[in-house]
Amino acid sequence: MPFVPDTDTRRVALVTGAARGIGRAVATALARDGFAVVVNCSGEKSLPAAQEFADELAETYGVPAAACAADVSDADAVDTLFAFVADTYGRLDVLVNNAGITRDGSLLRMSEDDFDRVIAVNLKSAFLTSRRAAKIMMKQRWGRIINMASIVGVVGNAGQANYAASKAGIIGLTKTIAREFGARHITANAIAPGFIATDMTAELPEKMLAGMNDRIALKRMGKPEEVAELAAFLASDRAAYITGQVIGIDGGMSL
Ligand SMILES: NC(=O)c1ccc[n+]([C@@H]2O[C@H](COP(=O)([O-])OP(=O)(O)OC[C@H]3O[C@@H](n4cnc5c(N)ncnc54)[C@H](O)[C@@H]3O)[C@@H](O)[C@H]2O)c1
């Protein structure tokens, strides 16, 4: 049964890195579906825009929405974020680990710093947030953890050793969470997008973009909203029996 919003038991969703791109589309879809939403952005500089977006969600969908700046690779910042969620809503039902970065380069040229930073933002962040979220969800005996992986985490990608390793790590983390918390009605799933039109892919060198559509069965890039629909489904009661899965959404790119 689809989730029916009710002011007494309205479910709360936290989306990391939600100020733009896929995270923004996910936050929008969840607000549309009746969730109260916490829009996380990476720092104080992006907070006014994230706040404006949260206000927009509240006005458009009539749900509570709030914004909180926190670098999710930082344990203290994650503590602050979860204190904000507890103070603002007093519960958490859905966690979407979406924040992510790239620092591409061939393995031979990749610096240790570029490796560490990508692992910290893309993978360690999900460990930090999931252990906080799982504690709350266990008490509520219901929860959804949705992690943004990538098809690159499954098949690898030349020039993205750090990014591919972080996304493969996310998949292992997701499956483990699914096993550890299944008995508490908490599901954990990974979404593995292919090539989605966002600022992240707009930064790619021309060389990498050329001929990309030819490698995709549907012959086009995906839209953030298309990924968001999958996240919204996984967050809903309709996906109650799906856990520990890596669900590709790539227009057939990985075929
Ligand atoms: N765009 C694609 O083709 C694609 C494909 C596969 C997977 N993904 C994944 O989807 C997710 C969203 O990507 P996108 O394309 O929307 O990228 P994007 O660059 O548009 O958005 C990423 C968001 O994460 C935020 N962020 C970065 N570091 C952060 C930190 N330390 N703390 C909090 N927030 C932080 C950014 O501020 C930004 O809002 C990422 O995890 C990405 O790896 C994207």
Side-chain angles (χ1 to χ4, degrees):
M1 280 293 290
F3 169 58
V4 181
D6 172 307
T7 38
D8 289 336
T9 59
R10 188 190 294 281
R11 287 174 178 168
V12 176
L14 165 61
V15 185
T16 69
R20 68 182 203 196
I22 294 171
R24 188 183 181 94
V26 170
T28 303
L30 292 175
R32 176 205 66 197
D33 289 355
F35 289 87
V37 176
V38 179
V39 173
N40 158 251
C41 62
S42 59
E44 292 298 328
K45 231 173 82 186
S46 47
L47 188 58
Q51 187 63 60
E52 198 176 307
F53 172 48
D55 292 346
E56 230 176 85
L57 292 178
E59 197 173 315
T60 310
Y61 300 105
V63 295
C68 182
D71 172 349
V72 287
S73 69
D74 179 289
D76 292 339
V78 169
D79 285 349
T80 306
L81 175 62
F82 275 78
F84 177 86
V85 173
D87 290 348
T88 311
Y89 297 122
R91 61 182 294 130
L92 181 66
D93 303 276
V94 175
L95 167 66
V96 183
N97 284 310
N98 166 81
I101 56 166
T102 52
R103 285 200 185 175
D104 297 349
S106 73
L107 182 70
L108 296 182
R109 288 197 187 161
M110 189 171 287
S111 69
E112 187 177 346
D113 183 55
D114 282 351
F115 187 84
D116 287 347
R117 188 64 194 146
V118 168
I119 296 292
V121 174
N122 295 8
L123 176 58
K124 184 181 165 196
S125 62
F127 157 71
L128 294 172
T129 56
S130 297
R131 67 178 180 171
R132 295 295 306 252
K135 218 171 190 176
I136 304 167
M137 291 171 181
M138 267 167 70
K139 287 200 191 113
Q140 293 172 186
R141 299 187 65 78
W142 196 93
R144 296 275 189 272
I145 295 178
I146 300 164
N147 293 327
M148 218 44 83
S150 166
I151 57 160
V152 161
V154 181
V155 301
N157 196 23
Q160 290 197 307
N162 48 4
Y163 184 81
S166 74
K167 295 303 186 182
I170 274 283
I171 290 170
L173 178 69
T174 305
K175 291 182 178 182
T176 301
I177 294 170
R179 285 182 185 273
E180 286 193 16
F181 298 100
R184 307 293 183 112
H185 311 291
I186 298 168
T187 68
N189 291 288
I191 293 178
F195 201 50
I196 312 300
T198 66
D199 291 346
M200 183 179 275
T201 42
E203 282 168 10
L204 287 174
E206 200 62 38
K207 199 169 79 184
M208 236 169 131
L209 292 172
M212 189 64 81
N213 286 353
D214 293 340
R215 293 168 42 202
I216 303 170
L218 291 177
K219 303 292 171 211
R220 65 170 177 86
M221 292 174 83
K223 300 178 194 152
E225 294 75 20
E226 292 172 313
V227 180
E229 286 308 324
L230 175 54
F233 171 68
L234 290 172
S236 76
D237 284 321
R238 302 189 301 276
Y241 205 56
I242 303 173
T243 197
Q245 301 305 302
V246 182
I247 302 169
I249 176 156
D250 63 6
M253 191 180 181
S254 59
L255 287 173

